[in-house]
Amino acid sequence: MSPSFDFPGLPADLLRPLLLGFSGRPHLHRLAGVALGHSRGTGDLFARIGGDALLAAWGENPLDGNCAAAVAGNLERTGPLPPSLFPAIKAIMAHWHPEVTPEAEQALAGEPQEQLVFLRDRLRRAPRNLFWWHHLYEYSRMHGHWAALTEALAGFKPVPELAGVFSLASANALLASGDGLPAAGMYRHLAEGLALPVVKERLVTALLRSGKPDDARELLQRCAQDRPWNAGLWLRLHELSVDGGRALSPPPGRVMVLAYSWNKADDLAATLDSLLASDLDDVRVRVLDNGSTDRTAEIIRRFADRFGTDRAQGVTMPVNVGAPAARNWLMALPETRASDFTAFVDDDVALPPDWLNRLGAAVRRYPEAGVWGCKVVDFDGPARIQCGEHNLTPDPVERRESLMSTIMLQDGDFGQADYIRPCASVTGCVHLFRTNRLLENGPFDLRFSPTQYDDLERDLRMVLAGGYAVYDGFLAIPHKRRSGALSGEGRPQSANAEANMQKLLAKYEDREFEAMARSMDGVLLADLLAKIEDPA
């Protein structure tokens, strides 16, 4: 299955973003700029990579006039487009009328319901202005509220030249809403006329979610051979070859599950109920009450009685000591130190029954990793990814503005990251450690109290020492508290997160961050090449 493509021979500034992924419009546009900067003639390898990235970005929101304009504006460098795309681009430009007014900016910065009311009003007034359709698509993606787009599309008849892009938007909404079979039919039809690479990628996901893995594998192999620079296609193809999506195995040893909570009794109760329903075998649990004044203590006592007081106990702190100190206290417990594996879980998640066995399968795949983690999705809108695999932002200069790449937040969950592989960091929402390595790496840094980035800093410390994390994209954990760009946190919490990021940036020098990035370049490249050369 080895492609006739030389990943190691690529320029370093292009290889790095390609290794991180081939999705997310901001990431793809930057990647396209790097690739086209290396091009020496229309249609050469770098021009093809750049053109493919621009088409991929457009496909992620087919109603985005800016993406269509970027494709059209680079034709002299990327080479000719498939003829089927020209009418769509021309029609998009004709129906793209930005209305960037103070009123619009204020409405789109408001609460979600206010945004939706505003967008519906604008579409009633200007039903053919793609600018507002684009914003409704983004609203649906960012809030996981795809029904809003589906309802608006019902009965709407675009001009014939735009039928394909509206059909793609509708198929995306269906797939994100869990309707894989009708979405697959729409993608199949689109694949014959709308030559955007995302159509076939989404069809792969729709086929998988419709129970047709053989058809998906065959199509995915063709996609990877046609676009061999897309690392995600090879990673997904490998997982289909080894049936990674169904791999389950308990961690090989004694497991301690740790949680801590402060004044979130109802959320904690739901989390502990999902823990009770999990496949855990002979697991021990400790739950720390971090100085709560609500019913948290009662919830923990009730959980211990149901789970078994010989296996589950509470730990009580008189005051809230913050997340890093709570983690450190739990780590220092003699029973934790005696365990082989330690899992931390947040107090506002819904654990699927097989969560620990999925992490255990990742342990068996990558036994030398320092930590194994999951994909975190919105509790009420699971097609929106909150967190997943984390790697450093490719460009050293941009790192001072955004230390970690946000690729996984730049699009909905359409299966593009359904794989298991190394990364620099995984979310602290649910993660598993080999206990001796957790202790050897040192405590969570108290400077990141009361919370935010203490888990990231620990992982980066591990990378600087030559280690790596592992992300399991088949383990999706619904999380109640939003994170990332839509955290919705109040000002004090946001200010604390910003302050803690500045602490993290100040803790390490630029050369150390670059050393981490170079280390992960090597790990990611070796992993990718091994999977391409030996898929099973």
Side-chain angles (χ1 to χ4, degrees), residues 147-172:
L149 179 63
T150 301
E151 292 166 4
L153 289 170
F156 176 73
K157 293 185 178 180
V159 298
E161 295 83 0
L162 292 178
V165 295
F166 271 93
S167 181
L168 177 54
S170 180
N172 290 344

Side-chain angles (χ1 to χ4, degrees), residues 125-361:
R125 299 184 188 187
R128 296 198 180 278
N129 186 351
L130 282 178
F131 180 76
W132 297 121
W133 282 106
H134 152 73
H135 277 289
L136 181 61
Y137 187 99
E138 285 301 289
Y139 168 87
S140 299
R141 177 187 69 82
M142 295 181 71
H143 296 283
H145 186 191
W146 290 96
L149 179 63
T150 301
E151 292 166 4
L153 289 170
F156 176 73
K157 293 185 178 180
V159 298
E161 295 83 0
L162 292 178
V165 295
F166 271 93
S167 181
L168 177 54
S170 180
N172 290 344
L174 284 172
L175 183 59
S177 301
D179 297 322
L181 193 58
M186 296 182 71
Y187 289 128
R188 282 190 187 278
H189 179 73
L190 285 166
E192 299 174 0
L194 190 66
L196 286 173
V198 74
V199 173
K200 292 182 179 178
E201 289 187 48
R202 299 282 164 86
L203 176 55
V204 168
T205 301
L207 290 170
L208 287 171
R209 295 180 183 177
S210 302
K212 299 180 179 180
D214 293 338
D215 292 344
R217 184 183 298 107
E218 181 181 349
L219 176 58
L220 185 56
Q221 185 157 1
R222 293 201 302 270
C223 290
Q225 291 169 343
D226 290 342
R227 303 165 61 215
W229 47 78
N230 186 328
L233 299 178
W234 295 109
L235 294 172
R236 295 184 69 192
L237 189 58
H238 171 80
E239 297 300 340
L240 288 180
S241 299
V242 301
D243 204 12
R246 294 197 295 180
L248 298 173
S249 178
R254 298 162 298 175
V255 179
M256 176 66 77
V257 176
L258 304 176
Y260 53 91
S261 187
W262 177 65
N263 283 344
K264 293 169 66 176
D266 291 340
D267 288 344
L268 178 63
T271 297
L272 294 179
D273 283 345
S274 69
L275 185 60
L276 279 165
S278 299
D279 303 324
L280 295 180
D281 294 329
D282 191 28
V283 165
R284 298 307 194 252
V285 181
R286 297 294 181 268
V287 184
L288 185 144
D289 178 352
N290 211 355
S292 301
T293 56
D294 62 359
R295 297 183 302 111
T296 294
E298 174 190 344
I299 295 299
I300 295 173
R301 282 195 300 271
R302 186 189 310 164
F303 165 76
D305 289 341
R306 295 169 65 194
F307 197 83
T309 53
D310 59 327
R311 300 171 59 201
Q313 296 177 18
V315 178
T316 302
M317 305 298 288
V319 295
N320 185 349
V321 297
R327 288 177 182 266
N328 293 340
W329 192 283
L330 290 167
M331 284 167 51
L333 294 173
E335 54 268 40
T336 301
R337 300 175 72 90
S339 67
D340 298 298
F341 289 88
T342 298
F344 281 100
V345 301
D346 271 6
D347 60 358
D348 56 354
V349 297
L351 296 165
D354 60 3
W355 69 274
L356 187 58
N357 288 334
R358 284 199 175 276
L359 290 176

